[in-house]
């Protein structure tokens, strides 16, 4: 099998493109990222590693806006992300210039996925080592969307999804607990999913909320407040579970 | 026959443009907006070849927006003016844009500013500027009555005097004018001066 993993342009006998799968491994080692779609809000949350003390954390923005109505979070190689995000931003403006209309979320997702796919079918290049979560409101219908792309260039729409480290546990949690929410409830659901795999605290997660008005990054104090709410709810649920057992 | 002019006041800048779209002897429309809102705090009044005007101004607008997404902060007026001049200069010896621009902007730290950019990539930072045949009358009027730190009312009055002069003295004077203003609260349309309705 090792003979078929050197070059991206070589299939293995059982139909794998090993370079793409190794790129997915790189994604699995990246920081956790979660996206949740509500009826009027879409929330993106990303894990922040708090081990670096001397780093100016404001220079490391993990959730970026591509246009007024589109935002992106990713897991994997951050340098690759910079290149992809730059191309996507140019495409957003180029689309506005040629057809005088903003991009739809699906269009820009298709574009990014198309870029990622191109690099799985060329000689001498490697795939982008990142999966993206793209959120936004359709500029014409106002419908919220959440999409995910991966290094192979596939993309699909989701009600809620997670990528990066421990994404399976987060996805399981979301599958169990997802319901149609709006506003603050959506934000809480996203943070609860992240807290399953991340140390609790405002300085370990970055959260951004996309509404029809645009993208808003939550500051540490706000996140701490919501985390405190969630912990209080959890504690209350635990207490409620224990109390009946004691009575018997 | 197109005219665009502008001036700087106390904490604001004004751009006035005619709103006629003309092809030889035919007036296509008399409500053509030639002052583009470049971003939240910049106004770009453009005159010249209609196709070049649309192409160039839209191209600049999208590039200014791209800069903002890439860098998280908007371009200063000075930077935008220099970017425009650079694009005009690059195209000049191959495929020139026949567009004349009056760029007005408000920056938080430097206040209001006005730039004169003509089609052969001349760039001047000025207090008052004008393009077109109307400039003969507008500039003379502004030279006589302009003083620094005018209030909005004084500047509007001066703009009206310029428009009156253009209307009465230019042989094929434009019918309608639009006035747009930019200050700390942003760039927006101020008012119209019409002689014909649509």
């Amino acid at each position: 099998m090792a003979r078929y993993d050197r070059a991206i342009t070589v299939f293995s006998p059982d139909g794998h493109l090993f370079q793409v799968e190794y790129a997915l491994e790189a994604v699995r080692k990246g920081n956790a990222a979660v996206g949740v779609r509500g009826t009027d809000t879409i929330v993106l949350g990303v894990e922040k590693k708090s081990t670096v003390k001397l780093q100016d954390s404001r220079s490391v923005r993990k959730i970026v806006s591509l246009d007024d109505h589109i935002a992106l979070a990713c897991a994997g190689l951050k340098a690759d992300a910079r290149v992809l995000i730059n191309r996507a931003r140019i495409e957003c403006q180029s689309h506005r210039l040629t057809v005088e209309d903003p991009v739809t979320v699906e269009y820009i997702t298709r574009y990014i996925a198309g870029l990622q796919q191109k690099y799985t079918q060329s000689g001498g290049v490697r795939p982008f080592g990142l999966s993206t979560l793209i959120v936004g409101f359709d500029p014409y219908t106002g419908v919220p969307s959440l999409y995910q792309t991966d290094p192979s260039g596939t993309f699909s729409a989701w009600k809620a999804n997670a990528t990066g480290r421990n994404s399976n546990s987060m996805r399981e949690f979301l599958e169990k607990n997802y319901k149609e929410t709006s506003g603050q409830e959506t934000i809480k659901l996203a943070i609860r999913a992240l807290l399953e795999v991340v140390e609790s605290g405002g300085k370990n997660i970055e959260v951004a909320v996309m509404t029809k008005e645009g993208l808003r990054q939550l500051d540490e104090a706000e996140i701490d407040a919501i985390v405190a709410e969630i912990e209080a709810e959890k504690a209350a649920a635990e207490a409620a579970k224990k109390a009946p057992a004691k009575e018997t | 026959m197109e005219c665009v002019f502008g001036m700087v006041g106390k904490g604001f800048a004004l751009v006035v443009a005619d709103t006629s779209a003309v092809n030889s002897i035919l007036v296509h429309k008399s409500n053509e907006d030639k002052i583009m809102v470049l971003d939240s705090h910049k106004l770009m009044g453009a005159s010249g070849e209609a196709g070049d005007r649309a192409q160039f101004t839209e191209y600049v607008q999208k590039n200014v927006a791209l800069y903002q997404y890439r860098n998280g902060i908007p371009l200063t007026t000075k930077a935008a003016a220099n970017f425009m001049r650079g694009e005009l200069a690059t195209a000049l010896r191959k495929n020139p844009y026949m567009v004349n621009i009056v760029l007005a902007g408000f920056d938080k730290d430097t206040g209001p500013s006005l730039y004169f950019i003509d089609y052969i990539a001349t760039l001047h930072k000025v207090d008052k500027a004008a393009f077109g045949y109307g400039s003969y009358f507008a500039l003379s009027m502004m030279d006589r009555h302009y003083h620094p730190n005018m209030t909005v009312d004084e500047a509007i009055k001066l703009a009206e005097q310029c428009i009156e002069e253009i209307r009465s003295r230019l042989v094929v004077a434009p019918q309608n004018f639009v006035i747009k203003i930019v200050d700390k609260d942003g760039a927006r349309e101020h008012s119209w001066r019409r002689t014909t309705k649509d």
Side-chain angles (χ1 to χ4, degrees), chain B residues 75-144:
Chain B
L75 272 170
T76 58
T77 312
K78 179 176 176 188
N82 278 281
F83 169 69
M84 280 191 239
R85 193 211 77 86
E87 290 295 309
L88 287 167
T90 309
L92 181 61
R93 306 275 172 188
K94 290 203 182 93
N95 196 3
Y97 290 105
M98 303 301 284
V99 205
N100 299 309
I101 290 170
V102 172
L103 175 70
F106 186 91
D107 303 299
K108 260 203 292 255
D109 37 2
T110 52
S113 49
L114 193 71
Y115 288 87
F116 169 103
I117 307 169
D118 84 4
Y119 73 102
I120 38 178
T122 310
L123 173 67
H124 290 307
K125 183 176 184 307
V126 291
D127 286 334
K128 42 186 155 41
F131 279 111
Y133 283 119
S135 70
Y136 292 117
F137 309 104
L139 276 173
S140 309
M141 214 55 184
M142 291 195 282
D143 282 344
R144 174 70 182 81

Side-chain angles (χ1 to χ4, degrees), chain A residues 65-68 86 89-90 93 96-97 100, chain B residues 55 58-59 61-63 65-66 69-71:
Chain A
S65 58
L66 300 180
D67 204 338
D68 291 332
N86 191 36
R89 281 174 170 157
I90 293 174
Q93 294 306 311
R96 276 184 190 255
L97 185 59
E100 276 215 13
Chain B
Q55 181 81 335
E58 285 173 12
Y59 174 73
Q61 188 191 50
K62 301 309 186 249
N63 271 283
L66 183 61
Y69 287 110
R70 275 189 175 145
N71 299 286

Side-chain angles (χ1 to χ4, degrees), chain A residues 14 64 125 138 184 202 235:
Chain A
D14 58 345
V64 296
V125 299
D138 188 304
Q184 195 70 351

Side-chain angles (χ1 to χ4, degrees), chain A residues 6 32 48 68 86 94 117 119 144 177 200 233:
Chain A
R6 270 298 135 81
K48 250 194 324 202
D68 291 332
N86 191 36
S94 183
Q117 192 280 339
Y119 284 73
N177 294 286
S200 110
E233 280 172 13

Side-chain angles (χ1 to χ4, degrees), chain A residues 50-111:
Chain A
S50 59
T51 50
V52 277
K53 293 204 166 72
L54 292 173
Q55 188 184 69
D56 186 348
S57 56
R58 288 169 305 170
S59 67
V60 191
R61 278 255 149 265
K62 300 211 175 159
I63 304 173
V64 296
S65 58
L66 300 180
D67 204 338
D68 291 332
H69 59 301
I70 314 252
L72 175 148
C74 55
L77 269 47
K78 286 294 179 280
D80 288 3
R82 230 178 28 236
V83 171
L84 218 50
I85 289 167
N86 191 36
R87 298 284 296 273
R89 281 174 170 157
I90 293 174
E91 180 61 21
C92 285
Q93 294 306 311
S94 183
H95 187 274
R96 276 184 190 255
L97 185 59
T98 43
V99 304
E100 276 215 13
D101 273 332
V103 295
T104 57
V105 192
E106 203 244 336
Y107 176 94
I108 199 65
T109 308
R110 209 169 344 115
Y111 177 81

Side-chain angles (χ1 to χ4, degrees), chain B residues 47-61:
Chain B
S47 70
E49 277 298 326
D52 281 350
R53 174 166 40 86
Q55 181 81 335
F56 185 73
T57 56
E58 285 173 12
Y59 174 73
V60 168
Q61 188 191 50

